[in-house]
């Protein structure tokens, strides 16, 4: 037996050891030899050296070298059609004389063109800044690696938002809140002495998709991160990230003046408190001259904040903003607030608190609005604040880590979730004809002319070799960056781009994988929370179904608060007779949501309490429709498994096996969700399952008895 195992191991080693470890470490920057990538670049001509241009050149050499088997040589002048020129007119005089059209590229954008240079048709990547050139280099590599024609290249690209940040919910002890990909990348204990090479690869990956900021620390902040020793550590990270254009931000614990400064108060209007923050911020900039600023969670879930002193969110944000402004720093003030005392519908609280403050924030403050007024659910309608704050720059906060979407083992591509949220029409009257009042156009400033714009993604990155906890979760990091750059990009195009970069260009892989990704989020919504249900996950960790939970400290932590199932029906009445959250939307949108017949069915139970025998659009009664959807979610996962199995010949064994194993887990858990949902909600509906639908595998008590004290990512 032992020798048989040994022989098969040797055989596997001899015949299938790839020359590269296929553990996912390379992300979408996987530069494997590719004879079909027709680039003829033999020499690289670059502008005067700078750390950022050096990074661009290094990436081009590494990427093109990986594809072709040999790196292009560096040259000082154009020598023929094999030359690729990269730089800015300032760093490379020959670019200054070319008709590049760089005015279209802005500060961070770039052009990629084939132009005649000194009489030779030459590929040119040009930008107004070194960082733009680096972004252009990554774009060029993407074109080559996805087999795009390079003959008549004329690419212009510029980001539509300014602040494109990852929010790391990383604690100083390296535990990542809602992290499913290992520990925090930031090894605080060994910083600043040891700079793990992963920090550079992290920055490369961010730059490759245009991410230009990283909030290093958890929103549930620890004032220690603002002490000199930790500022040194953060400065060391900033030093690694700087060439890649990734600015460092920190979370500010509002009570830090008390905890670190020994003051009696953290009242934002108290002169001593203001002076403390001013001095602290000056100190931060002595450590990190290009520090980006603060992300703040205040007066939410027990965090300290200005309301502790009867001040407003604007008072708190403006105090920090004033001290950051001379350094060009910003404040990202979160609108995810809900307080113990407020008895109203939790979905209404952010609007109630922030709408009256519109126009009251300093120029360098953005209000960061979570996608989902409740909390990153598998599906929520767009946040009403996006239709209500013309005078305050709003940032989007998406969650890339899948706290409510099955953690790392469920394959759920979030591109479609981002797209749905960004495409939503806020109902605001656009200032000019032809402009749509979508969330995307609110965020990018088109609608209200915001002075700063941005998008944040709660990172899904950790020490796992594959960075994100699973191969497919890398796509969500990737998609976040691409949507932050262009909120109107198509989720399908992004899925295809990522698939080609990650698994190669073979159509037999690309087509089915993209289809799988595109249907994956809807499948998860189906088996977890179809038709507008929300927040039915397990207590604390949010792993698995627990719609029965009714015993938590606050009403709005309990799933029963959200689904409101009873003998008559199910759903949360947010209309005039209920919480009236609907009134927070613009009138046209509110009218649509107020009428169950006009409400998009995917939000039916979000806005309405509906009888079990309500006729849905399929013609089925509500109960039957729920059962059909719960079941359909499981079926789609089974199909995904079958599809993935059929791809075995085309995907390296290592990544194939991991994805296959995760899909098997997902299928089991999707079934668990379906069965637990049916077992529980049937106690209210008291209706039979539609013909042909199997009953749950276990009685309700079984599902209720399951406990997961060590589920990852806890707060
Ligand atoms: C919830 C998370 C919690 C976060 C909170 C937040 O469960 O861990 O601290 O959001 O965004 O989704 O502040």
């Amino acid at each position: 037996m032992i020798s048989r195992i040994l022989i098969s191991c040797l055989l596997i080693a001899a015949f299938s050891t790839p020359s590269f470890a296929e553990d996912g470490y390379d992300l979408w920057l996987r530069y494997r030899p590719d004879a079909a990538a027709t680039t003829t670049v033999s020499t690289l001509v670059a502008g005067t050296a700078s750390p950022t241009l050096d990074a661009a050149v290094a990436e081009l050499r590494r990427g093109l070298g990986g594809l072709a088997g040999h790196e292009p040589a560096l040259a000082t002048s154009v020598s023929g059609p094999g030359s690729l020129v990269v730089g800015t007119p300032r760093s490379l005089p020959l670019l200054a004389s070319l008709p590049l059209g760089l005015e279209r590229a802005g500060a961070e954008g770039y052009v990629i063109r084939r132009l005649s240079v000194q009489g030779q048709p030459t590929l040119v990547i040009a930008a107004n800044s070194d960082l733009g050139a680096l972004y252009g280099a990554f774009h060029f590599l993407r074109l080559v690696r996805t087999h795009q024609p390079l003959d008549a290249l004329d690419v212009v690209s510029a980001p539509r938002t300014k602040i494109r940040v990852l929010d790391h919910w990383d604690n100083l002890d390296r535990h990542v809140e809602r992290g499913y990909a290992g520990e925090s990348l930031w090894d605080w204990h060994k910083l600043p002495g040891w700079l793990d090479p992963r920090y550079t690869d992290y920055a490369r990956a961010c730059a490759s998709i245009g991410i230009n900021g990283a909030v290093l620390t958890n929103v549930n902040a620890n004032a220690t991160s603002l002490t000199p020793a930790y500022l040194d550590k953060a400065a060391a990270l900033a030093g690694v990230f700087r060439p890649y254009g990734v600015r460092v931000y920190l979370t500010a614990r509002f009570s830090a003046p008390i905890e670190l400064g020994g003051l009696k108060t953290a009242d934002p209007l108290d002169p001593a408190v203001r002076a403390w923050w001013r001095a602290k911020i000056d100190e931060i900039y002595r450590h990190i001259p290009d520090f980006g600023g603060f992300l703040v969670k205040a007066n939410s879930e027990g965090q300290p904040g200005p309301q502790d002193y009867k001040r407003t969110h604007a008072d708190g944000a403006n105090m920090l903003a004033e001290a950051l402004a001379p350094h060009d720093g910003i404040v990202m003030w979160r609108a995810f607030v809900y307080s113990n005392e407020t008895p109203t519908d939790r979905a209404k609280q952010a609007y109630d608190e922030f709408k009256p403050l519109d126009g009251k924030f300093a120029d360098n403050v953005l209000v960061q609005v979570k996608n989902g007024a409740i909390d990153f659910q598998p599906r929520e309608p767009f946040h009403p604040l996006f239709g209500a704050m013309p005078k305050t720059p709003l940032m989007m906060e998406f969650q890339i880590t899948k706290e409510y979407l099955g953690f790392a083992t469920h394959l759920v591509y979030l591109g479609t979730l981002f797209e749905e949220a960004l495409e939503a029409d806020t109902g605001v009257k656009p200032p000019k004809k032809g402009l749509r009042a979508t969330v995307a156009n609110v965020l990018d400033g088109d609608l209200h002319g915001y002075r700063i714009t941005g998008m944040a993604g709660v990172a899904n990155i950790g020490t796992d070799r594959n960075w994100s906890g699973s191969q497919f979760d890398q796509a969500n990091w990737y998609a976040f960056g691409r949507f932050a750059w262009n909120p109107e990009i198509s989720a399908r195009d992004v899925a295809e781009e990522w698939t080609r970069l990650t698994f190669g260009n073979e159509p037999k892989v690309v087509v089915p994988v993209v289809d799988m990704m595109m249907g994956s989020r809807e499948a998860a919504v189906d088996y977890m929370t179809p038709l507008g249900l929300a927040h039915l996950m397990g207590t604390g960790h949010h792993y698995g179904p627990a719609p029965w939970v009714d015993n938590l400290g606050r009403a709005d932590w309990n799933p029963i608060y959200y689904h409101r199932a009873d003998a008559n029906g199910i759903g949360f009445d947010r209309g005039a007779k209920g919480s009236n959250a609907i009134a927070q939307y613009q009138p046209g949108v509110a009218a649509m949501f107020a009428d169950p017949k006009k409400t998009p069915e995917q939000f039916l139970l979000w806005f309405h309490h509906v009888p079990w025998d309500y006729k849905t659009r399929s013609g089925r009664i509500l109960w039957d429709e729920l059962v059909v959807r719960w079941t359909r979610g499981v079926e789609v996962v089974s199909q995904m498994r079958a599809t993935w199995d059929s791809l075995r010949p085309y995907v390296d064994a290592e990544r194939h096996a991991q994805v296959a194993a995760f899909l098997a887990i997902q299928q089991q858990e999707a079934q668990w969700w379906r069965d637990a949902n049916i077992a529980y909600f049937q106690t209210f509906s008291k209706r039979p399952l539609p013909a042909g639908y199997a009953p749950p595998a276990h009685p309700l008590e079984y599902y209720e008895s399951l406990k997961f004290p060590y589920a990852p990512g806890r707060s």
Side-chain angles (χ1 to χ4, degrees):
M1 183 65 185
I2 288 182
S3 61
R4 265 194 25 217
I5 294 174
L6 193 70
I7 290 170
S8 41
C9 287
L10 288 173
L11 283 175
I12 292 169
F15 294 111
S16 66
T17 304
S19 38
F20 302 93
E22 291 288 11
D23 52 15
Y25 183 87
D26 292 332
L27 296 161
W28 48 88
L29 304 172
R30 187 172 160 273
Y31 303 135
R32 301 292 187 268
D34 180 2
T38 52
T39 160
T40 50
V41 176
S42 52
T43 58
L44 269 180
V45 182
T48 333
S50 76
T52 300
L53 269 185
D54 290 351
V57 170
E59 198 69 33
L60 287 167
R61 296 191 81 188
R62 177 177 183 157
L64 297 172
L67 293 171
H70 52 87
E71 292 189 356
L74 293 181
T76 48
S77 61
V78 171
S79 56
S83 292
L84 171 62
V85 182
V86 57
T88 64
R90 217 163 352 124
S91 66
L92 194 59
L94 86 84
L95 287 177
S97 57
L98 295 176
L100 295 168
L102 269 179
E103 62 288 348
R104 299 169 295 169
E108 287 181 299
Y110 50 83
V111 302
I112 309 176
R113 306 184 61 183
R114 192 183 282 279
L115 288 170
S116 171
V117 180
Q118 294 163 1
Q120 305 280 359
T122 306
L123 282 166
V124 175
I125 304 170
N128 295 311
S129 66
D130 291 354
L131 183 58
L134 175 65
Y135 289 152
F138 278 114
H139 189 139
F140 178 72
L141 286 167
R142 204 154 66 213
L143 295 173
V144 173
R145 294 192 47 232
T146 55
H147 296 177
Q148 307 303 310
L150 303 177
D151 307 332
L153 268 187
D154 188 8
V155 173
V156 188
S157 188
R160 299 249 313 258
T161 60
K162 265 196 198 145
I163 314 286
R164 305 178 296 278
V165 286
L166 288 176
D167 291 358
H168 291 265
W169 286 1
D170 294 16
N171 293 338
L172 301 181
D173 65 2
R174 302 191 77 180
H175 172 74
V176 181
E177 183 160 335
R178 312 309 177 185
Y180 313 105
E183 292 195 290
S184 168
L185 274 187
W186 327 132
D187 190 345
W188 293 104
H189 185 67
K190 298 198 193 83
L191 281 163
W194 162 240
L195 297 175
D196 190 322
R198 278 192 89 153
Y199 302 153
T200 309
D201 285 335
Y202 164 83
R204 281 176 57 228
C206 285
S208 75
I209 47 177
I211 290 171
N212 64 2
V215 183
L216 300 179
T217 47
N218 193 351
V219 283
N220 295 319
N222 180 340
T224 306
S225 63
L226 302 179
T227 57
Y230 277 82
L231 292 178
D232 271 346
K233 296 167 191 279
L237 287 173
V240 177
F241 300 167
R242 190 165 293 118
Y244 298 91
V246 179
R247 281 176 93 171
V248 156
Y249 298 76
L250 292 169
T251 45
R253 184 159 166 88
F254 206 77
S255 50
I258 302 174
E259 288 154 28
L260 300 182
L263 301 187
K264 293 239 156 19
T265 174
D267 180 349
L269 300 191
D270 183 289
V273 171
R274 297 175 83 83
W276 187 87
W277 278 112
R278 247 192 331 271
K280 179 52 72 183
I281 286 167
D282 291 346
E283 180 190 350
I284 296 176
Y285 279 92
R286 284 196 296 278
H287 284 83
I288 311 171
D290 53 356
F291 178 63
F294 287 136
L295 169 65
V296 188
K297 170 176 178 178
N299 293 119
S300 170
E301 299 185 327
Q303 292 298 314
Q307 293 175 346
D308 302 348
Y309 308 95
K310 308 228 172 333
R311 312 296 185 198
T312 67
H313 287 290
D315 293 330
N318 293 348
M319 168 193 60
L320 297 173
E322 191 184 298
L324 285 160
H327 305 281
D328 194 27
I330 59 160
V331 174
M332 296 171 280
W333 192 271
R334 296 179 83 222
F336 176 68
V337 292
Y338 67 101
S339 64
N340 270 326
E341 300 74 36
T342 317
T344 174
D345 177 359
R346 174 167 151 188
K348 291 173 65 178
Q349 293 190 34
Y351 178 102
D352 285 347
E353 289 193 29
F354 280 85
K355 170 74 187 155
L357 299 176
D358 189 25
K360 303 224 158 68
F361 290 93
D363 279 359
N364 53 337
V365 177
L366 295 112
V367 170
Q368 183 165 311
V369 180
K370 198 179 253 200
N371 177 51
I374 293 294
D375 195 359
F376 300 136
Q377 291 304 297
R379 170 169 278 135
E380 296 194 32
F382 75 92
H383 202 301
L385 272 177
F386 286 117
M389 300 285 278
K391 293 186 239 144
T392 308
L394 297 182
M395 269 175 99
M396 174 62 92
E397 177 178 305
F398 282 127
Q399 193 179 46
I400 311 172
T401 189
K402 304 206 310 298
E403 172 182 354
Y404 294 98
L405 279 157
F407 301 179
T409 44
H410 291 213
L411 194 166
V412 180
Y413 169 57
L414 298 179
T416 48
L417 182 154
F418 301 157
E419 185 174 61
E420 179 179 302
L422 294 165
E423 265 180 358
D425 196 319
T426 60
V428 170
K429 201 170 163 321
K432 51 179 188 256
K433 253 207 160 137
L435 181 63
R436 293 180 57 226
T438 57
V439 171
N441 286 333
V442 172
L443 291 175
D444 71 8
D446 277 2
L447 206 63
H448 303 305
Y450 289 162
R451 14 175 220 275
I452 349 178
T453 54
M455 204 186 284
V458 179
N460 65 349
I461 299 162
T463 49
D464 275 11
R465 270 302 286 177
N466 64 28
W467 300 85
S468 298
S470 84
Q471 307 298 332
F472 274 87
D473 279 330
Q474 298 178 352
N476 295 330
W477 177 6
Y478 185 86
F480 169 75
R482 303 289 286 124
F483 273 94
W485 185 275
N486 175 6
E488 289 186 316
I489 204 167
S490 121
R492 179 173 282 277
D493 290 353
V494 172
E496 176 169 344
E497 197 175 272
W498 175 83
T499 304
R500 286 169 176 268
L501 296 172
T502 306
F503 289 112
N505 291 289
E506 168 59 53
K508 288 192 186 114
V509 174
V510 175
V511 174
V513 165
V514 171
D515 283 346
M516 212 163 96
M517 290 167 78
M518 290 302 290
S520 60
R521 185 268 190 138
E522 203 60 49
V525 169
D526 275 345
Y527 58 73
M528 291 181 179
T529 51
L531 294 173
L533 289 173
H535 222 299
L536 308 184
M537 293 74 187
T539 301
H541 46 62
H542 301 151
Y543 172 65
W548 45 82
V549 170
D550 61 358
N551 59 353
L552 302 180
R554 325 173 24 142
D556 58 3
W557 283 348
N558 286 306
I560 62 150
Y561 170 91
Y562 293 99
H563 63 67
R564 304 194 168 207
D566 56 24
N568 301 323
I570 179 171
F572 197 127
D573 181 359
R574 294 194 158 98
K577 296 204 186 99
S579 78
N580 209 20
I582 284 174
Q584 296 183 333
Y585 288 98
Q586 290 288 330
V589 178
M592 171 178 72
F593 289 153
D595 179 350
K597 292 285 168 213
K598 293 196 189 130
T599 303
E601 209 156 57
Q602 61 198 29
F603 298 126
L604 184 62
L605 306 180
W606 184 277
F607 290 116
H608 303 282
H609 189 81
V610 175
W612 294 109
D613 61 357
Y614 175 88
K615 213 32 165 329
T616 65
R617 280 173 208 161
S618 65
R620 285 185 281 268
I621 61 162
L622 177 67
W623 168 248
D624 290 356
E625 183 67 19
L626 282 167
V627 176
V628 166
R629 293 197 185 213
W630 286 321
T631 309
R632 190 171 73 191
V634 186
E635 285 162 1
V636 173
V637 178
S638 311
Q639 286 153 19
M640 291 184 352
R641 268 187 92 182
T643 302
W644 187 254
D645 276 347
S646 75
L647 300 180
R648 196 184 306 271
Y650 312 105
V651 177
D652 54 277
E654 212 173 331
R655 288 185 301 169
H656 190 276
Q658 193 188 49
V659 174
F662 282 14
L663 282 168
I665 297 172
Q666 184 179 6
Q667 190 185 9
Q668 269 172 18
E669 295 185 351
Q671 185 75 45
W672 166 34
W673 264 101
R674 172 210 182 260
D675 287 356
N677 272 328
I678 292 178
Y680 172 69
F681 288 113
Q682 202 170 25
T683 64
F684 298 97
S685 80
K686 304 221 183 309
R687 288 174 183 270
L689 299 183
Y693 284 78
H698 303 280
L700 177 58
E701 299 70 46
Y702 165 80
Y703 301 106
E704 288 178 339
S705 73
L706 299 174
K707 299 271 176 301
F708 306 96
Y710 303 111
R714 298 188 68 123
S715 50

